[in-house]
Amino acid sequence: MTGDAIGRRADARASAESRSRAARLAFGFGSLLAVAAGATIAFGSPPLVYQYVPLALSVVVLGLPHGAVDHLVLPRVRGDPVTPRSLAFVGVLYLLLGSAYALVWVLAPVAAFILFILVTLVHWGQGDVYALLEFVGADHLETRASRLLALLVRGGLPMLVPLVAFPGQYAFVAETLIGVFDPGAATALDPLFEPTGRAAVMIGFGSLIALSLLRGGCRTSPGERWPWLVDAAETLGLVGYFATVPPILAIGLYFCCWHSLRHVLRTMLVDPVASAALERGAIRTAVSRFARDAAPLTLAALAVLVGIWLAVPRTPATVADIIAVYLVGIAVLTLPHVVVVTLLDREDGIWSP
């Protein structure tokens, strides 16, 4: 199913104008990453404590709330009412998967960290594949194989490029997250940060990027290359961004201004009220609608974070430790969120082209 086909299927929920406004918002906020890269090149990296600011803000701005309407999106995309059964499904999903993953963090934090990277790679790749189809009309992603390749590339950019470009800071983040549960256990990942491990990642992932872009370019005709050019520009731009901006700051900005924003816009497009507000340019109304819908489960997510804070073996004593506990909480919540987004993708036919 091409981007145009997804757009036609969504007509009952979102007009072309509301989708166009959503796309402009996505690209507008995404351009902030280019500003951050330019500022880093011009003025250097800010002190570490300031690099944590976007991640800290993501607790209430876009980051944590972006998944807080999971209980509403599936009924809305299907055109069904929200029922106790639909709410119970999402609630049980979060309870079972979240609890199981939290236990993995306690018992095997190194494995939990690796799973966090892999799950985030898949999830952020999912988000970009949807955006390419819905906002760009990426007809060069006409097959399931091309979309899977795009998922691996787009999800791999924030997860793998910083490993190659900033191995010391990447290792620091791994040590702080794993160290919350087992100080010293992160040494098991040291081979990844050595020159040989980084070279393997660079060659392997670089080959995937080249294959994805070349495959897409070969499947477009000369007069229809605009979507592919947007895809290529975003991909190469993100390579430059994550190779330039230090990882903690880069991920925080990307999480809020790129991934979370695009998912929030997706949830607005399946909400008739928010979609209608976007159509008439009432952005504030659409945002207020989302904020109202997301508020209850955002508060519930904050309660989960407090529970994790109380459950960790040692009290977080530094900014890095506090953010590490937050990221563990994000990891626990991301796993069931990915299941919901996968079901949402299925409803939109993204993996049935």
Side-chain angles (χ1 to χ4, degrees), residues 279-291:
E279 181 177 5
R280 63 179 185 271
I283 308 300
R284 184 176 298 180
T285 300
V287 171
S288 297
R289 167 79 170 184
F290 172 81

Side-chain angles (χ1 to χ4, degrees), residues 62-83:
L62 292 173
L64 192 62
H66 89 276
V69 293
D70 280 358
H71 60 303
L72 301 175
V73 291
L74 289 177
R76 283 174 174 171
V77 78
R78 294 166 178 163
D80 295 335
V82 178
T83 64

Side-chain angles (χ1 to χ4, degrees), residues 10 12-15 17-23 130 134-135 262-272 274-276 278:
R13 307 189 303 268
S15 69
E17 180 58 31
S18 61
R19 295 198 304 276
S20 176
R21 288 186 188 276
Y130 167 81
E134 178 74 346
F135 298 150
R262 292 180 177 210
H263 184 76
V264 167
L265 292 169
R266 182 178 189 177
T267 67
M268 289 179 178
L269 291 176
V270 301
D271 174 14
S275 179
L278 285 176

Side-chain angles (χ1 to χ4, degrees), residues 43-281:
F43 305 109
S45 301
L48 181 61
V49 67
Y50 296 118
Q51 295 180 31
Y52 285 110
V53 170
L55 277 174
L57 290 176
S58 72
V59 175
V60 292
V61 180
L62 292 173
L64 192 62
H66 89 276
V69 293
D70 280 358
H71 60 303
L72 301 175
V73 291
L74 289 177
R76 283 174 174 171
V77 78
R78 294 166 178 163
D80 295 335
V82 178
T83 64
R85 182 177 179 180
S86 66
L87 295 176
F89 169 75
V90 174
V92 171
L93 179 69
Y94 267 79
L95 178 63
L96 294 181
L97 288 185
S99 298
Y101 190 20
L103 186 61
V104 175
W105 275 102
V106 174
L107 299 178
V110 174
F113 177 79
I114 294 172
L115 181 59
F116 182 29
I117 297 300
L118 294 176
V119 169
T120 305
L121 186 155
V122 170
H123 178 48
W124 287 0
Q126 282 180 309
D128 268 23
V129 169
Y130 167 81
L132 286 168
L133 295 172
E134 178 74 346
F135 298 150
V136 182
D139 288 336
H140 60 286
L141 302 180
E142 80 281 12
T143 66
R144 186 180 291 110
S146 63
R147 295 178 188 185
L148 178 59
L149 186 57
L151 180 151
L152 294 174
V153 167
R154 287 305 193 96
L157 291 171
M159 294 293 101
L160 301 179
V161 174
L163 188 153
V164 175
F166 298 93
Q169 291 196 33
Y170 205 112
F172 171 72
V173 172
E175 289 167 6
T176 54
L177 266 70
I178 295 169
V180 167
F181 299 95
D182 188 358
T187 55
L189 298 177
D190 285 350
L192 277 177
F193 309 116
E194 297 296 331
T196 302
R198 290 161 53 211
V201 171
M202 182 172 63
I203 294 170
F205 186 56
S207 299
L208 279 183
I209 294 174
L211 176 62
S212 178
L213 295 181
L214 289 173
R215 178 187 174 98
C218 291
R219 289 176 175 269
T220 58
S221 59
E224 299 177 349
R225 285 194 172 166
W226 176 248
W228 175 78
L229 289 173
V230 173
D231 183 8
E234 284 192 346
T235 299
L236 296 177
L238 287 170
V239 170
Y241 169 74
F242 285 110
T244 303
V245 181
I248 294 169
L249 177 61
I251 291 295
L253 289 172
Y254 177 92
F255 183 40
C256 292
C257 299
W258 190 283
H259 170 72
S260 296
L261 175 68
R262 292 180 177 210
H263 184 76
V264 167
L265 292 169
R266 182 178 189 177
T267 67
M268 289 179 178
L269 291 176
V270 301
D271 174 14
V273 175
S275 179
L278 285 176
E279 181 177 5
R280 63 179 185 271

